[in-house]
Amino acid sequence: MSSPGQARSSGITFGVVGLGLIGGSFARAYRACGATVLAFDTNPDIFAAASIETVSGPLDDASIPSCDLIVLAAYPAACVDWLREHAAALGAASDMATGSGPLVIDTAGVKSMVCSAAFELAEKHGFAFVGAHPMAGTENSGFAYSRADLFCGAPMVLTPPPVDDFARLSLLDRAHTLLAPVGFGTFSVTTPETHDAVIAYTSQLAHVVSNAYVKSPSAQEHHGFSAGSYRDLTRVAHLNPSMWAELMCANADNLSREITGLIDALRAYRDALDAGDRERLRLLLAEGDRIKRALDDSSDN
């Protein structure tokens, strides 16, 4: 099984919590592959819309035992709340010795906050949980923008619990197998702490910079003077404020450190300009160009 429309998963029952862009795209992908899709969403109108072509029924304590995979795709705190509420049902439906029962993953953009609670609940109640972060999305949010091919070729980051090597490999193998119909391009494995430190730079800082960049008064005058640079830098200024505020606050130390580093770097450019020091500015620009070229070269190899 590799990607929606190319592989069938008619024997799989898939459950999803949250029918936004990410949860809705998971639901559409599994439905396109022939899986039975069950869902929970706090908005009855969204659930009703998803039930027209994608969702077959509700995800609750009664249907949890039928699931092979459950994806928590709500905001981080809501994921933990749902998991805590249904932990007993998940445990009753699982046998860790035989590997039966649902595998639960989340999709939150921060891992430490979710995984610390989820690992504890999984160990206490006896069900399988692996942290996960699909590296895909759009500037738009909501079920209306979800699509079955959103994850095709995209990276997936997994953060398994701190168990022995055999148990970890078993969990990762189950995750790879059950996620295969979605069509992820690569899988990487790390700790929740490392994930959060890196994601503060690769994702959260980029959103902060883009969001702050459009606050310049010059943004009102850019029409006719902008092209690819403006478009690329401002794409992720359009975001879901409530979701990103929760993600950033859950990763505040890492993100604050990255912002401080950026402020220090920008100050160096500004000081060179204020001093009229063209050579210093040239060196700063050359340094950034050299670092970017080295990063591109390493990613190609």
Side-chain angles (χ1 to χ4, degrees), residues 204-214 233 236-237 259 262 266:
Q204 293 178 348
L205 181 65
H207 281 79
V208 168
V209 170
S210 183
N211 197 264
Y213 181 77
V214 298
L233 187 53
V236 293
I259 292 174
L262 179 61
L266 289 173

Side-chain angles (χ1 to χ4, degrees), residues 171-262:
L171 283 171
L172 292 174
D173 182 64
R174 287 182 66 189
H176 289 171
T177 299
L178 290 168
L179 288 168
V182 181
F184 287 104
T186 61
F187 287 86
S188 58
V189 180
T190 188
T191 65
E193 295 76 20
T194 297
H195 168 277
D196 288 355
V198 175
I199 214 69
Y201 171 73
T202 60
S203 178
Q204 293 178 348
L205 181 65
H207 281 79
V208 168
V209 170
S210 183
N211 197 264
Y213 181 77
V214 298
K215 294 178 181 179
S216 167
S218 299
Q220 306 304 319
E221 310 296 333
H222 82 88
H223 297 291
F225 295 85
S226 59
S229 298
Y230 175 85
R231 182 178 60 251
D232 292 345
L233 187 53
T234 60
R235 183 181 67 83
V236 293
H238 179 53
L239 45 70
N240 180 329
S242 297
M243 181 189 75
W244 280 100
E246 182 173 334
L247 291 171
M248 291 173 182
C249 284
N251 201 24
D253 289 346
N254 288 317
L255 181 54
S256 179
R257 182 175 62 252
E258 292 293 344
I259 292 174
T260 299
L262 179 61

Side-chain angles (χ1 to χ4, degrees), residues 6 8 10 12 18 26 44 50 57 63 162 170 175 205 207-208 215 244-245 251-252 277-278:
Q6 294 179 332
R8 307 302 295 173
S10 56
I12 290 178
F26 268 105
S63 60
S170 177
L205 181 65
H207 281 79
V208 168
K215 294 178 181 179
W244 280 100
N251 201 24
D277 191 339
R278 187 167 68 179

